[in-house]
Amino acid sequence: MKAKYVFRSVLCATVLGLGAFNALQAHASIVIAATRVIYPAKEREVMVKLSNEGKGPRLTQVWIDNGDERAGPAAQEVPFTIAPPVARIDPGKTQTLRVSYTGEALPQDRESVFWLNVLDIPPQVQDDGVQANLLQVAVRSRIKLFFRPAGLPGTAEEAPARIQWRVVPGGIEARNPSAYHVSFTEIEVVSSARTATFDEGGMVSPGQTTVFPLKGDVQASTATKVRSQAINDYGGVQRNEIPLLRH
C-alpha cells in the first residue's frame, strides 16, 4: 500500500473530502510571520514572509479567498494577485510572498476583509516497504487580510473601544460603528455576582451587528459591563472594559 496524502483544502483544483482530519495530530512546518495582513490602499504591494521550521523541505501553495474557505485557488475571484503561488522552501529557509492589489472597485468608506491561505505540503515518501502505510497530512493555515482605504475616520486601535454592547436573548450583541473590523479572542459579561464568557474567537465587521453566544448565566437587568480582548494590527491583545447599553 503506497503512502497516502490527506489534504484539508484544494490542491491543483481537486477537492478531497476529509471528515476525520480534525482527529489527526498535524503540525505545520511552514510558519507565517504574522497573524493578519494589513494592506493600505496606497501601497503597490505588501510582503508576507514564510519560514520552514521543519526538518525537511516543504512545498507551499498560497492563494487568497473572499470568505469561502471551501473554494480552491482556481475558484477564487479576488482583487489581488500573490506570488509565487507555489514554492519549495528548504529547512531553515524563508520565502517572501508579494501580495498586489489589482485595482478592482472596493468600498472606500470601510475596510474589506479577505483571507490568505498557505498550504504546507510534505514531501512524498517513497514506498520502500518500511513506510508503506504512512499517513501524511498537508496542513492549511488561513489568516485575515484587511484592505484598508486611505482617509478612514478614526483608527483601527480605537475601534474596539467603540463597540456598543447589549445583552440580548442568545448572548451578547456587539455593534461596530467604526470603519474597521474588530476581532475578539474573548468576551466577558460581568454582573454583580456572575460572569458569562465567549472564548471561541469572533469578528464584527464595520457597521455590522453580531451576537456572540455566552457560556454562563447573566441577566440583562444585572449585567453592568463587558470586558473584551481584541487583536490589534500586530497580533497583540488589546483589552477594553466598556459599560453595557440599556434598552
Side-chain angles (χ1 to χ4, degrees):
M1 179 179 180
K2 293 184 178 181
K4 294 182 179 179
Y5 288 82
V6 180
F7 295 91
R8 196 183 179 191
S9 57
V10 176
L11 179 61
C12 298
T14 301
V15 178
L16 300 179
L18 178 63
F21 182 88
N22 290 334
L24 299 173
Q25 295 297 316
H27 301 281
S29 293
I30 299 300
V31 176
I32 309 172
T35 62
R36 62 246 300 102
V37 179
I38 309 299
Y39 197 118
K42 64 181 180 180
E43 300 295 335
R44 293 185 59 184
E45 64 180 19
V46 298
M47 292 181 288
V48 182
K49 188 173 76 171
L50 307 180
S51 59
N52 183 355
E53 298 186 359
K55 297 180 179 180
R58 311 292 283 196
L59 184 67
T60 61
Q61 183 181 26
V62 298
W63 68 95
I64 296 170
D65 71 65
N66 59 8
D68 183 0
E69 63 180 313
R70 295 183 178 274
Q76 299 301 331
E77 295 184 3
V78 295
F80 298 94
T81 61
I82 186 166
V86 177
R88 171 191 163 116
I89 308 177
D90 289 325
K93 301 298 184 180
T94 63
Q95 173 69 56
T96 298
L97 305 177
R98 306 174 81 92
V99 181
S100 301
Y101 173 49
T102 54
E104 286 88 337
L106 288 173
Q108 296 300 302
D109 61 344
R110 62 187 183 277
E111 281 186 335
S112 297
V113 64
F114 299 87
W115 297 79
L116 171 65
N117 298 264
V118 177
L119 188 64
D120 175 1
I121 308 164
Q124 185 173 3
V125 177
Q126 299 298 321
D127 186 355
D128 57 5
V130 177
Q131 296 180 307
N133 294 319
L134 180 66
L135 180 66
Q136 294 184 293
V137 179
V139 180
R140 182 176 68 169
S141 300
R142 189 167 178 260
I143 66 173
K144 296 169 185 173
L145 186 159
F146 297 108
F147 180 80
R148 185 170 293 170
L152 293 181
T155 66
E157 290 74 19
E158 297 169 346
R162 296 187 59 198
I163 297 293
Q164 299 168 356
W165 302 95
R166 291 193 309 165
V167 175
V168 298
I172 181 73
E173 178 188 272
R175 179 180 177 274
N176 181 4
S178 79
Y180 303 88
H181 291 81
V182 179
S183 299
F184 295 103
T185 60
E186 185 174 329
I187 300 166
E188 182 181 43
V189 180
V190 181
S191 67
S192 56
R194 299 178 180 179
T195 62
T197 60
F198 173 83
D199 57 6
E200 298 177 11
M203 183 175 71
V204 190
S205 299
Q208 299 297 309
T209 298
T210 301
V211 176
F212 299 102
L214 294 171
K215 299 175 184 177
D217 182 24
V218 295
Q219 298 180 348
S221 59
T222 61
T224 58
K225 58 189 175 183
V226 173
R227 296 185 183 126
S228 66
Q229 296 184 18
I231 305 174
N232 63 26
D233 283 355
Y234 310 100
V237 174
Q238 180 176 333
R239 294 176 173 82
N240 289 282
E241 186 171 291
I242 303 173
L244 277 161
L245 291 177
R246 297 299 178 185
H247 292 280

